[in-house]
Amino acid sequence: MVMRRTTASKGISGHTVRTTDSWSEPAGRRKPLTAPRSADDSYRSLIDGALHGIYRSSVTGKFLTVNPAMVRMLGYGSAQELLGVDMAHDVYADAGVRAQLIKQYCGAERFAGVEVQWKRKDGTPIAVHLSGRAVRNTLGEVECFEMVAEDVTARSRLEAQLRQAQKMEAVGQLTAGIAHDLNNILTVASVNTDFVLSLLPPELRQLRGDLEELQTAVRRGTAMIKKLLAFSRRDVLQLGALDLGQLISETTSMLRRIVPETVAVELASQESVVVQADPTAVEQILLNLATNARDAMPNGGVLRIAIQCTVLDEGYHGTHPWVLPGRYACMTVSDTGTGMDAATRERVFEPFFTTKPRGAGSGLGMAMIYGLVKQHGGLVHVYSEPGQGTTVKIYFPLATHSEAAGVHPEAARVLPRGTETILVAEDEASIRRATRRMLEQYGYTVLLAADGEEALELFRAHEGEIDLVITDLVMPKLGGRQVYDTLRREEKSVPVVFTSGYSERDVQGSVHVDPDVPFVHKPWTVAEFVVRIRQVLDGCRRPSPSPLGP
Ligand code: ADP
Ligand code: MG
């Protein structure tokens, strides 16, 4: 037994505290409330109220003291209950890790910054950042550890997502460069091979076979490059309103031909959901997913496709900046195949990553899907466990009402561009960034303001340069309506577009917006926004009565 003394030891900040009590249940030992508040009470309150877990533990792996944050973090009913657990087996996800830490830190005076995997009482894994010190007796032996534990689960998850996103971005840039150059090289090779073949004199007929082989190789190379370009390139899609349900049911017959008869293809729903997407790209995505599902189900199984409407919130924006908050259609493609382990799951979108034998897989299918979905402003998630099958969820932005009204299954709309300067006032930072990114992509110069006052300052500083003001209606300091009124009072004729998360009618009811001022409802789609902006800039304010109008 390492704990020789159970009475007192030097605690945090050198203050004496009992080693076997619990900071969570101090009632019995507290001095009467009438007594002056002692230093002891003051330290106790500091620890009881701490946001991070604070504990003292024995070398053998028992908690000796825990604060309420510790009890909450580990999901126990009381401090008493937590004091009864065996840390190595009940708290550490891997008992060996604790033994290793003890070995490592028994010799050290204090240690800061080690991240460990713990589990809560119900088994949920949590990532915890530990720092603290070993407390020694007069003989220099470690008596116990005094530690601060911070739950960093959310942060580590976000960091992992961010790392993944950055990796994909880096790989995307690298691939784009290579693919672009190779594409040119292969084009030259292909054109010249075709040319030589067409001119080959009959006496050189024996060369024909060699040249045809060369031609086939070049074609295969070109097909691979196409996939790489789909992974990395932006802005090549023909986005338009597309009935996803209809496209899926039309593609199903083709999918049935890809999979063997032992695989059943099930369509969960054929309801009409109109998204903003490129039909050819969606077909390619389905084809690749079906091929992977087929490969994962050599002994047969079920391939299921379903669609569902859902809302994606701000939460995705940090790691997937191209995803705007709003309404999305979720296309779920699942199989009952072999599934993937964590190592495969992590690399599934990397170009050239394949677990298939040479010649069977190129490792470009999922990479292409990733790129295509990203270019749609969507998201793709893979859920898979070994032996449990695989579910791929793909989110496409929903088309707005006006776009849905004119659905063309093969819609091939090129969105209008411009070179004007636009002042954007928006208090929500992520929307501000997204707006800027989008407008710049379509050729505009953008000035950003975080509220109405800043918008007016910017406007005055750039007098004469600004061709259009886009302003959110509800903002701190000065709202969009006031910005508009001020500009008109100062006889500035610059066109103004209002945006708001409230419906046009709500806003008109409460803020009395001029029905002549163009209004874009949030969440807008890129197509809706750039088309409306172009119309306003071209002086055509209200081409058609809005469905939300009075
Ligand atoms: P390829 O199919 O050419 O190997 P992909 O990019 O399509 O390349 O897929 C990469 C890897 O991801 C596959 O080799 C496989 O290990 C894994 N994978 C993809 N989809 C599935 C699935 N539905 N079931 C099991 N594993 C899959
Ligand atoms: Mg594949």
Side-chain angles (χ1 to χ4, degrees):
M1 181 72 182
V2 186
M3 291 299 302
R4 293 200 184 88
R5 292 180 304 165
T6 51
T7 46
S9 72
K10 287 290 176 191
I12 287 148
S13 310
H15 185 72
T16 305
V17 285
R18 278 173 291 272
T19 51
T20 51
D21 73 353
S22 153
W23 287 312
S24 282
E25 292 175 327
R29 295 197 183 96
R30 277 228 165 126
K31 287 183 186 129
L33 281 172
T34 45
R37 208 170 153 78
S38 67
D40 210 0
D41 280 342
S42 160
Y43 279 111
R44 187 185 293 281
S45 130
L46 182 67
I47 290 161
D48 274 356
L51 288 178
H52 297 330
I54 299 174
Y55 67 91
R56 188 178 289 122
S57 65
S58 72
V59 178
T60 53
K62 283 281 174 201
F63 284 117
L64 303 171
T65 323
V66 290
N67 75 341
M70 205 49 203
V71 179
R72 277 196 304 275
M73 186 164 108
L74 288 168
Y76 284 81
S78 67
Q80 215 52 47
E81 192 188 359
L82 186 53
L83 294 180
V85 307
D86 170 46
M87 288 178 74
H89 293 100
D90 300 331
V91 175
Y92 277 80
D94 176 354
V97 170
R98 178 164 201 272
Q100 233 174 12
L101 280 179
I102 299 280
K103 215 160 101 192
Q104 203 172 337
Y105 291 115
C106 258
E109 190 50 39
R110 56 190 67 237
F111 55 102
V114 49
E115 195 176 314
V116 292
Q117 297 300 317
W118 277 5
K119 57 190 174 199
R120 288 163 57 87
K121 187 186 174 187
D122 64 5
T124 322
I126 53 173
V128 176
H129 184 271
L130 291 180
S131 52
R133 65 180 195 124
V135 179
R136 290 166 200 280
N137 61 19
T138 44
L139 300 173
E141 297 159 324
V142 173
E143 200 165 74
C144 65
F145 296 100
E146 288 179 347
M147 308 293 299
V148 176
E150 182 188 358
D151 183 346
V152 292
T153 314
R155 194 205 303 162
S156 345
R157 199 174 296 142
L158 205 67
E159 278 169 2
Q161 281 176 4
L162 202 64
R163 267 198 305 279
Q164 180 68 9
Q166 283 167 342
K167 185 175 80 181
M168 294 310 284
E169 196 57 39
V171 175
Q173 279 177 14
L174 182 73
T175 320
I178 298 172
H180 183 258
D181 289 354
L182 264 182
N183 202 25
N184 291 342
I185 293 169
L186 285 174
T187 307
V188 175
S190 160
V191 168
N192 285 296
T193 315
D194 289 349
F195 182 65
V196 174
L197 262 175
S198 70
L199 294 179
L200 202 66
E203 60 271 26
L204 291 178
R205 200 171 294 132
Q206 69 276 21
L207 281 182
R208 181 166 286 273
D210 299 333
L211 279 172
E212 278 170 355
E213 215 164 292
L214 176 60
Q215 200 178 36
T216 312
V218 169
R219 296 240 159 90
R220 274 183 44 207
T222 313
M224 282 175 72
I225 294 298
K226 275 220 177 78
K227 289 187 180 174
L228 275 182
L229 283 172
F231 166 65
S232 55
R233 206 202 264 164
R234 273 148 234 176
D235 229 359
V236 290
L237 297 180
Q238 299 296 319
L239 294 177
L242 169 75
D243 187 331
L244 189 60
Q246 193 187 331
L247 183 115
I248 291 173
S249 34
E250 282 166 10
T251 316
T252 308
S253 57
M254 183 163 59
L255 300 186
R256 287 211 168 93
R257 263 178 272 134
I258 291 178
V259 300
E261 275 170 12
T262 49
V263 172
V265 180
E266 283 181 5
L267 268 189
S269 62
Q270 279 164 285
E271 60 180 297
S272 160
V273 176
V274 181
V275 294
Q276 178 75 4
D278 177 327
T280 320
V282 179
E283 246 173 52
Q284 277 181 314
I285 290 171
L286 277 168
L287 225 65
N288 275 283
L289 289 176
T291 314
N292 284 345
R294 175 200 65 195
D295 294 348
M297 298 188 285
N299 303 317
V302 182
L303 169 67
R304 238 178 108 78
I305 307 173
I307 335 174
Q308 225 183 344
C309 288
T310 183
V311 170
L312 294 183
D313 60 20
E314 285 285 312
Y316 287 97
H317 210 78
T319 48
H320 304 83
W322 60 90
V323 175
L324 303 173
R327 297 194 304 143
Y328 285 75
C330 174
M331 176 172 89
T332 307
V333 179
S334 50
D335 65 55
T336 54
T338 52
M340 292 175 234
D341 57 17
T344 304
R345 250 183 355 248
E346 249 166 50
R347 302 188 56 192
V348 71
F349 295 119
E350 272 177 36
F352 302 114
F353 173 77
T354 179
T355 57
K356 293 170 192 173
R358 251 189 112 89
S362 65
L364 288 174
M366 295 299 280
M368 187 176 81
I369 290 174
Y370 181 91
L372 288 175
V373 172
K374 182 178 172 189
Q375 289 172 77
H376 277 85
L379 269 187
V380 49
H381 281 306
V382 171
Y383 304 87
S384 187
E385 291 295 337
Q388 304 292 312
T390 297
T391 296
V392 180
K393 289 194 170 188
I394 296 184
Y395 296 84
F396 292 106
L398 284 189
T400 57
H401 295 302
S402 48
E403 284 161 351
V407 178
H408 316 291
E410 264 99 65
R413 189 137 64 103
V414 179
L415 296 174
R417 303 172 63 87
T419 52
E420 288 91 342
T421 299
I422 302 180
L423 170 61
V424 177
E426 163 67 59
D427 59 326
E428 186 63 48
S430 57
I431 299 186
R432 206 159 56 228
R433 280 196 300 275
T435 312
R436 170 166 43 205
R437 177 172 289 128
M438 177 199 65
L439 289 174
E440 286 180 348
Q441 198 176 347
Y442 285 91
Y444 297 100
T445 302
V446 181
L447 295 170
L448 291 183
D451 57 56
E453 275 182 12
E454 206 183 318
L456 287 175
E457 276 167 30
L458 266 175
F459 188 88
R460 285 169 192 140
H462 294 264
E463 181 87 71
E465 292 166 35
I466 292 167
D467 302 295
L468 173 69
V469 176
I470 299 175
T471 173
D472 189 13
L473 275 172
V474 184
M475 290 184 294
K477 292 188 188 166
L478 209 60
R481 173 74 211 191
Q482 287 92 320
V483 171
Y484 175 79
D485 287 344
T486 311
L487 289 173
R488 290 294 177 266
R489 218 177 311 118
E490 295 177 7
E491 296 185 354
K492 308 284 189 273
S493 60
V494 62
V496 175
V497 174
F498 288 144
T499 67
S500 179
Y502 303 96
S503 85
E504 192 166 9
R505 191 175 289 158
D506 290 348
V507 169
Q508 278 172 0
S510 55
V511 195
H512 303 294
V513 170
D514 184 343
D516 279 342
V517 181
F519 183 95
V520 179
H521 186 257
K522 277 194 284 198
W524 36 258
T525 64
V526 171
E528 180 187 11
F529 211 145
V530 294
V531 167
R532 180 55 83 86
I533 283 164
R534 201 56 257 162
Q535 285 165 349
V536 175
L537 281 166
D538 293 341
C540 152
R541 280 187 169 183
R542 273 195 174 245
S544 57
S546 156
L548 291 165

